[in-house]
């Protein structure tokens, strides 16, 4: 056999491992961009080298050691050799996986740092853009102020213009602005007249520097401060195409206009500059078209700007180490470059300006529209910006990840080697389990023995009878795999798994499934088994079939659930009704139960008013306390029904009438122990009854106050009521004129008693005749009494079937009629007229 334990070879392998790991570290360090000091970078290099090479060197040394002692271990070493090699392979794979994850984490951290840096850069660009726009548009405020003076005055003299510009304090308020001027458009043919007019207005030194042959000129009439801009005074700005384009654009649009890049006469550095132009129109004019703008134009205000002065320090607002370039339009060349500068942070920590054309970490382009022109703002990061990024977290992640991968590899090695030892121990335990199996083989309970990972190693015959699985079918499978039931309680399963994971005993009742698919309940008691070192080696489970008991229990629970549902339905029915329920569960206690509908009737909530007998008494009307106590006493102690009407105080409607009914529950001795009932709001009914009684009393009083006889019969001809004058008309049968007696009864009795003389000897015929008359829809007749008085009888059948009758004494009318026969009217005509008057 070839010797693999050569020390020289081992040394060479270790050097090779260290060399490869160092190459890997040198490749990783530049990617981290930590910007550490040389000493810190060296320590990081050594740390990563040790973390990468240490595990590999350790594994190689362990392999040599095992190879050296293998001959002394004999057969046992040969048996576990394959497992040891597998453990080594798993450990190496864990180390490689950990390093791969670390590399991914470092990359992810770098991306996060770059993203945060990009956000910082974008914010810096936003600040620069806002500052550049502000600086370029700020002169328009001064021009607008001067234009206000022109709007307020018909004419602004040279002296007034000078004083107005002096008040603006150009040097402090408008950095980069060299002055403010006023330009007038002058036809070339009227140039001499224009110059003469300006001199006559006090500008004796005014001259026009004309050039070119264009028909009109744009002459600088005013420019202040004059000493600084004397060369521009009287200059024709219209001869320069760039200046003329800006002037005409402003004149025809009415908007402020920014010219293209020009060289200002007053700029000694001859750097890029531009004009900002604002038109002034005739007072009262409101032009909308280019022709109207040109016709109403009075002149143009302008401000000469030097780009370097305007943009000076604009990059500093970025608060980052960036370089700022401003171009006219989208052409990126030296001709269109207006400004190029860096923030002061660029020079910190030895930073240098980014070389032109060099790669930048970040750069941004913003197109701005200022004064009718498009400007191209370009902002780029510098090496100083890149150096300001803190990438130490990536370095820490690399070191930490390498260290974590080492720990993970070590943990895998310990687990794998421990598994090998556990397998050897399991082989020794198998013999012991065989002995135990014979002991429990004959028991009726199901006995299951598993290893530490809950894999079944032995079952008894009771388990086979109970579940249907034989020992051969159960070996190597867990009880959950073999007997698992999808309907089992997840909490019970979780409790079993938790106890098994912690090596603790556990007893539960769980639903299992047999081999043929039937469900059965088992009361299982699981006990862990430990070796002499306290290590968990196996579990023993003893189960008892409790299927019948569980079925009985489930039936009981189902019955209880059914009763609960019935109770819930009853509660819903109670809440849906109009009555409020109450229950005094224990008459010796103050506490009661009131339903939500009872609370709704009272207007209170359970939080506002507790359901007690004391609170009930506090709601009771003071006038009803004695009656309520008497009714309660009769119900509790004398067996009387509890049904009475009382007034209770509600929250929002004051006192209202309620009808309270209840049932008393008694014990075996007949003593009242509980009382439950309902309350119904009858306030509206009580008010209606009271109103009806008042109406009836009013009706009876009104009828009794009549001087004439009055009677009211219902549809069945029963007397409802009559007044005293009606009884006085028929004194012989007045005692029969009581409510409920029929008209026929009263007539017959009166005829028999001689009340009606015409009825003597023929009572039935007379009654029939009188009733026939009475039942007519309307009947008028006369009746002569024994004392000679004549009654006018009027009866009316109403739409609802009632009959209303009147008896009126018309004796005086009859006498008057007889006395008036000489007046050429017949007695019958007179009676008819008088009857009409009576009915009216």
């Amino acid at each position: 056999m070839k010797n693999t334990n050569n020390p020289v070879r081992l040394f060479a392998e270790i050097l090779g491992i260290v060399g490869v790991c160092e190459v890997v570290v040198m490749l990783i360090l530049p990617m981290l961009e930590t910007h550490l000091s040389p000493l810190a970078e060296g320590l990081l290099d050594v740390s990563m080298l040790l973390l990468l090479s240490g595990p590999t060197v350790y594994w190689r040394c362990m392999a040599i050691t095992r190879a050296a002692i293998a001959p002394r271990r004999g057969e046992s070493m040969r048996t576990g050799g394959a497992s040891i090699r597998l453990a080594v392979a798993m450990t190496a794979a864990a180390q490689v996986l950990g390093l791969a994850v670390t590399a991914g984490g470092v990359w992810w951290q770098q991306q996060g740092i770059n993203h945060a840096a990009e956000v910082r850069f974008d914010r810096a660009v936003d600040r620069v853009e806002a500052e550049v726009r502000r600086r370029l548009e700020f002169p328009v405020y001064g021009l607008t102020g001067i234009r206000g003076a022109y709007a307020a005055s018909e004419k602004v003299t040279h002296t007034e213009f000078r004083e107005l510009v002096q008040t603006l304090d150009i040097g402090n308020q408008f950095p980069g602005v060299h002055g403010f001027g006023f330009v007038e458009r002058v036809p070339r043919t009227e140039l001499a007249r224009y110059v003469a007019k300006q001199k006559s207005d006090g500008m004796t030194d005014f001259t026009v520097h004309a050039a070119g042959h264009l028909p009109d000129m744009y002459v600088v009439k005013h420019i202040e401060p004059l000493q600084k801009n004397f060369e521009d005074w009287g200059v024709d700005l219209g001869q320069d195409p760039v200046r003329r384009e800006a002037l005409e654009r402003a004149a025809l649009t009415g908007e402020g206009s920014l010219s293209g890049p020009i060289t200002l006469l007053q700029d000694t550095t001859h750097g890029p500059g531009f004009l900002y132009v604002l038109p002034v129109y005739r007072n009262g004019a409101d032009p909308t078209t280019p022709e109207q703008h040109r016709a109403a134009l009075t002149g143009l205000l302008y401000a000469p700007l030097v780009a370097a002065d305007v943009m000076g320090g604009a990059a500093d607002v970025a608060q980052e180490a960036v370089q700022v370039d401003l171009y006219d339009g989208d052409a990126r060349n030296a001709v269109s470059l207006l400004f190029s500068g860096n923030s002061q942070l660029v020079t910190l920590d030895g930073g240098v300006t980014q070389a032109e054309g060099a790669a930048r970490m970040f750069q941004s382009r913003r197109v701005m529209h200022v004064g009718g022109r498009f400007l191209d703002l370009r902002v780029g990061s510098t090496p100083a910006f890149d150096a300001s990024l803190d990438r130490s977290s990536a370095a820490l992640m690399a070191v930490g990840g390498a260290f974590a991968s080492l720990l993970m590899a070590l943990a895998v090695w310990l687990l794998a080697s421990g598994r090998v030892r556990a397998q050897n121990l399991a082989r020794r335990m198998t013999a012991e389990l065989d002995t135990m199996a014979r002991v429990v083989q004959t028991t009726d309970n199901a006995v299951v023995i598993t290893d530490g990972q809950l894999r079944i190693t032995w079952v008894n015959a009771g388990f086979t009878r109970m579940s249907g699985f034989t020992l051969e079918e159960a070996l190597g499978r867990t009880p959950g795999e073999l007997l698992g039931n999808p309907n089992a309680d997840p909490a019970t399963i979780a409790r079993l798994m938790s106890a098994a994971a912690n090596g603790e005993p556990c007893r539960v009742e769980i639903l299992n499934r047999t081999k043929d698919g039937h469900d059965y309940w088992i009361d299982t008691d699981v006990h862990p088994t430990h070796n002499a070192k306290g290590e968990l080696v196996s579990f023993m489970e003893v189960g008892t079939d409790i299927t019948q008991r569980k079925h009985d229990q489930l039936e009981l629970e189902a019955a209880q659930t059914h009763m609960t549902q019935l109770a819930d339905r009853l509660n819903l029915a109670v809440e849906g009704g109009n009555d409020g329920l109450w229950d005094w569960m224990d008459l010796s206690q103050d506490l009661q139960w009131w339903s939500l509908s009872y609370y709704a009737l009272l207007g209170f909530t359970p939080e506002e008013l507790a359901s007690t007998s004391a609170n009930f008494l506090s709601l009771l009307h003071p006038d009803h306390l004695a009656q309520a106590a008497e009714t309660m006493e009769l119900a509790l102690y004398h067996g009387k029904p509890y049904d009475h009407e009382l007034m209770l105080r509600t929250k929002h409607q004051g006192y209202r009438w309620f009808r309270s009914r209840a049932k008393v529950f008694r014990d075996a001795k007949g003593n009242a122990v509980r009382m439950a009932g309902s309350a119904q709001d009858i306030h509206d009914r009580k008010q209606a009854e009271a109103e009806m009684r008042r109406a009836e009393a009013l009706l009876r009083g009104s009828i009794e106050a009549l001087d004439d006889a009055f009677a009211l019969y219902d549809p069945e001809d029963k007397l409802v009521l009559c007044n005293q004058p009606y009884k006085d008309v028929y004194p012989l049968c007045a005692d029969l004129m009581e409510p409920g007696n029929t008209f026929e009864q009263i007539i017959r009795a009166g005829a028999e008693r001689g009340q009606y003389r015409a009825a003597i000897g023929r009572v039935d015929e007379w009654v029939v005749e009188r009733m026939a008359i009475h039942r007519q829809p309307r009947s008028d007749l006369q009746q002569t009494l024994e004392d000679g008085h004549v009654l006018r009888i009027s009866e009316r059948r109403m739409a609802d079937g009632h009959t209303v009758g009147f008896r009126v004494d018309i004796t005086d009318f009859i006498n008057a009629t007889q006395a008036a026969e000489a007046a050429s009217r017949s007695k019958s005509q007179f009676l008819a007229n008088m009857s009409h008057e009576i009915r009216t």
Side-chain angles (χ1 to χ4, degrees):
M1 182 177 179
K2 185 178 179 180
N3 186 10
T4 59
N5 300 328
N6 192 333
V8 176
R9 179 179 175 180
L10 176 61
F11 180 75
E13 289 178 357
I14 293 175
L15 289 180
I17 292 172
V18 173
V20 173
C21 291
E22 178 62 20
V23 172
V24 174
V25 171
M26 296 303 294
L27 293 175
I28 294 176
L29 282 178
M31 299 172 57
L32 298 179
E33 299 179 7
T34 55
H35 304 291
L36 301 176
S37 63
L39 178 59
E41 191 167 339
L43 292 175
L44 179 62
D45 188 348
V46 173
S47 300
M48 296 185 65
L49 178 61
L50 291 177
L51 292 174
L52 291 176
S53 62
T56 309
V57 173
Y58 170 78
W59 294 328
R60 185 64 186 123
C61 292
M62 289 296 295
I64 294 295
T65 302
R66 294 191 192 92
I69 64 175
R72 296 194 296 270
R73 293 198 174 178
E75 184 64 26
S76 61
M77 187 65 188
R78 288 193 296 273
T79 304
S83 299
I84 292 297
R85 286 192 294 272
L86 178 60
V88 172
M90 292 173 61
T91 304
Q95 177 71 5
V96 173
L97 177 61
L99 293 177
V101 173
T102 300
V106 171
W107 176 84
W108 175 81
Q109 185 69 13
Q110 290 279 38
Q111 293 298 111
I113 294 173
N114 292 339
H115 177 71
E118 184 177 3
V119 172
R120 283 175 49 192
F121 178 78
D122 290 339
R123 292 176 179 172
V125 173
D126 292 339
R127 289 192 289 268
V128 170
E129 180 184 10
E131 179 64 13
V132 171
R133 184 180 297 277
R134 186 190 68 83
R135 293 190 177 202
L136 291 176
E137 294 180 347
F138 194 70
V140 76
Y141 296 103
L143 297 175
T144 302
I146 299 174
R147 186 166 67 174
Y150 277 90
S153 175
E154 291 293 330
K155 179 181 180 182
V156 178
T157 64
H158 185 69
T159 303
E160 291 173 344
F161 189 90
R162 179 187 300 114
E163 293 174 352
L164 181 59
V165 173
Q166 288 176 352
T167 60
L168 296 177
D169 192 10
I170 295 177
N172 296 322
Q173 300 296 328
F174 299 90
V177 177
H178 280 234
F180 291 106
F182 181 77
V183 177
E184 286 188 343
R185 185 167 61 86
V186 180
R188 187 174 295 274
T189 56
E190 298 181 7
L191 178 59
R193 184 184 306 173
Y194 175 80
V195 173
K197 184 177 183 305
Q198 304 309 318
K199 289 183 177 183
S200 64
D201 289 342
M203 295 189 295
T204 56
D205 297 332
F206 178 81
T207 58
V208 176
H209 305 284
H213 303 283
L214 294 176
D216 55 349
M217 307 168 63
Y218 288 90
V219 179
V220 179
K221 180 179 180 181
H222 303 303
I223 183 68
E224 293 294 336
L226 185 59
Q227 183 177 2
K228 184 178 179 180
N229 299 277
F230 185 80
E231 294 182 2
D232 280 353
W233 193 30
V235 172
D236 177 16
L237 300 181
Q239 303 308 314
D240 179 18
V242 178
R243 290 178 171 85
R244 186 181 186 90
E245 185 275 337
L247 293 169
E248 291 186 344
R249 175 157 41 92
L252 297 179
T253 62
E255 302 290 340
S257 299
L258 187 70
S259 71
I262 59 174
T263 301
L264 299 176
L265 300 177
Q266 55 270 49
D267 183 15
T268 58
T269 62
H270 302 291
F274 32 78
L275 301 180
Y276 206 110
V277 184
L278 191 67
V280 178
Y281 296 100
R282 185 174 59 252
N283 289 343
D286 186 17
T288 57
T289 64
E291 291 76 15
Q292 293 175 349
H293 280 95
R294 182 181 295 275
L297 183 67
T298 300
L300 300 109
L301 294 168
Y302 79 102
L305 310 175
V306 177
D309 296 339
V310 173
M311 299 294 298
D316 294 336
V317 301
Q319 302 176 8
E320 299 288 353
V322 296
Q323 182 176 352
V324 178
D325 297 330
L326 183 64
Y327 293 86
D328 177 59
D330 57 356
R332 190 177 179 184
N333 50 51
V335 177
S336 61
L337 180 64
L338 300 176
F339 173 79
S340 180
N342 303 286
S343 65
Q344 295 181 356
L345 296 177
V346 170
T347 59
L348 297 180
D349 298 330
V352 296
T353 304
Q354 182 83 18
E356 182 66 22
R360 301 178 185 271
M361 183 176 182
F362 301 108
Q363 58 182 355
S364 177
R365 177 189 178 190
R366 302 287 177 87
V367 177
M368 300 188 304
H369 188 260
V370 179
R373 293 193 66 82
F374 289 96
L375 302 179
D376 188 1
L377 176 66
R378 297 177 183 265
V379 182
S381 62
T382 62
F385 180 88
D386 301 343
S388 67
L389 303 179
D390 183 12
R391 299 184 183 275
S392 59
S393 59
L396 293 176
M397 178 174 288
V399 175
F403 183 74
S405 64
L406 173 61
L407 295 179
M408 183 174 65
L410 180 60
V412 171
W413 166 255
L414 294 176
L415 292 174
S417 60
R419 182 176 180 275
V420 174
R421 290 192 296 271
Q423 289 175 344
N424 294 331
L425 182 60
R427 283 192 292 270
R428 292 195 303 268
M429 293 177 61
T430 302
E432 300 176 2
L433 292 176
D434 291 339
T435 302
M436 294 174 59
R438 286 192 296 270
V439 175
V440 298
Q441 187 67 34
T442 58
T443 182
D444 292 333
N445 293 335
V447 180
V448 180
I449 298 178
T450 69
D451 59 15
Q453 287 73 40
L454 296 178
R455 290 189 292 270
I456 297 175
T457 58
W458 185 85
V459 298
N460 69 341
F463 175 85
T464 301
R465 289 192 298 271
M466 193 177 297
S467 66
F469 292 101
T470 63
L471 175 61
E472 292 74 15
E473 294 172 329
L475 284 177
R477 303 173 66 181
T478 65
E481 296 174 354
L482 197 66
L483 308 174
N485 193 316
N487 299 322
D489 183 15
T492 303
I493 297 176
R495 181 181 173 189
L496 276 172
M497 298 305 296
S498 176
N502 298 327
E504 299 173 348
C506 180
R507 181 174 181 177
V508 296
E509 295 179 357
I510 189 170
L511 181 65
N512 287 343
R513 178 160 291 180
T514 63
K515 181 179 179 180
D516 57 3
H518 290 86
D519 296 344
Y520 70 99
W521 282 93
I522 184 171
D523 181 359
T524 181
D525 192 0
V526 181
H527 288 274
T529 303
H530 300 82
N531 58 14
K533 298 181 181 180
E535 299 173 343
L536 178 67
V537 294
S538 65
F539 291 93
M540 183 175 66
E541 176 183 354
V542 180
T544 303
D545 191 341
I546 59 170
T547 303
Q548 186 58 43
R549 191 187 77 188
K550 289 297 289 186
H551 284 172
D552 296 340
Q553 180 180 352
L554 291 176
E555 289 178 359
L556 177 60
E557 292 177 353
Q560 292 175 344
T561 301
H562 180 65
M563 293 299 295
T564 302
Q565 292 175 349
L566 291 178
D568 292 340
R569 293 193 185 103
L570 176 60
N571 291 333
L572 291 175
V574 169
E575 294 178 2
N578 295 325
D579 292 353
L581 302 185
W582 55 271
D583 188 356
W584 196 352
M585 294 77 69
D586 187 352
L587 296 179
S588 63
Q589 302 294 326
D590 187 48
L591 182 64
Q592 296 181 353
W593 172 85
W594 297 351
S595 68
L596 294 179
S597 57
Y598 194 11
Y599 275 106
L601 292 176
L602 297 175
F604 295 95
T605 63
E607 293 76 16
E608 297 173 334
L609 186 67
S611 55
T612 63
S613 59
N615 284 339
F616 172 79
L617 293 177
S618 68
L619 299 177
L620 194 60
H621 195 283
D623 297 342
H624 293 192
L625 287 172
Q627 178 188 357
E630 180 181 358
T631 306
M632 181 69 70
E633 182 178 357
L634 292 175
L636 294 178
Y637 304 110
H638 301 285
K640 299 295 183 179
Y642 183 85
D643 186 352
H644 69 115
E645 297 177 352
L646 46 83
M647 294 186 71
L648 296 177
R649 176 174 53 84
T650 63
K651 181 178 180 180
H652 302 292
Q653 298 177 312
Y655 284 100
R656 292 181 66 86
W657 279 98
F658 289 86
R659 181 185 181 186
S660 181
R661 292 174 292 179
K663 179 180 179 181
V664 178
F665 298 88
R666 305 180 185 276
D667 58 13
K669 297 180 180 180
N671 298 323
V673 295
R674 181 177 181 181
M675 190 175 186
S678 64
Q680 181 182 11
D681 189 331
I682 61 171
H683 192 77
D684 295 339
R685 192 199 75 190
K686 295 289 286 186
Q687 286 186 329
E689 290 176 354
E691 185 65 27
M692 184 177 66
R693 286 193 296 271
R694 286 194 297 270
E696 182 179 357
L698 179 62
L699 176 61
R700 289 185 177 275
S702 299
I703 293 174
E704 290 294 340
L706 292 175
D707 294 333
D708 298 330
F710 177 85
L712 176 64
Y713 291 87
D714 63 12
E716 297 179 357
D717 283 341
K718 293 182 179 181
L719 181 65
V720 177
L721 57 88
C722 65
N723 59 359
Q724 187 60 40
Y726 188 85
K727 294 181 179 181
D728 294 340
V729 173
Y730 305 106
L732 297 182
C733 56
D735 59 324
L736 299 177
M737 295 180 183
E738 295 294 334
N741 291 335
T742 64
F743 178 81
E744 183 178 352
Q745 291 173 343
I746 297 173
I747 293 300
R748 284 183 179 276
E752 292 174 353
R753 295 178 184 181
Q755 179 68 62
Y756 310 103
R757 290 179 298 173
I760 297 176
R762 50 185 187 94
V763 174
D764 292 337
E765 294 82 355
W766 195 87
V767 169
V768 171
E769 178 185 357
R770 287 294 299 251
M771 291 184 64
I773 295 174
H774 171 70
R775 289 187 174 89
Q776 292 177 0
R778 178 167 182 169
S779 176
D780 293 332
L781 57 92
Q782 296 179 6
Q783 177 181 345
T784 303
L785 302 181
E786 294 179 354
D787 55 3
H789 283 266
V790 179
L791 295 183
R792 182 69 174 182
I793 303 173
S794 177
E795 295 177 348
R796 182 186 300 272
R797 176 75 70 172
M798 308 303 292
D800 58 356
H802 286 74
T803 301
V804 180
F806 286 90
R807 302 292 188 268
V808 183
D809 189 343
I810 61 171
T811 303
D812 295 336
F813 291 104
I814 295 297
N815 295 335
T817 300
Q818 293 174 354
E821 287 181 352
S824 302
R825 289 193 299 178
S826 65
K827 178 179 179 181
S828 59
Q829 182 66 32
F830 176 76
L831 288 176
N833 292 338
M834 293 304 294
S835 177
H836 175 73
E837 291 180 16
I838 291 173
R839 287 195 301 271
T840 303

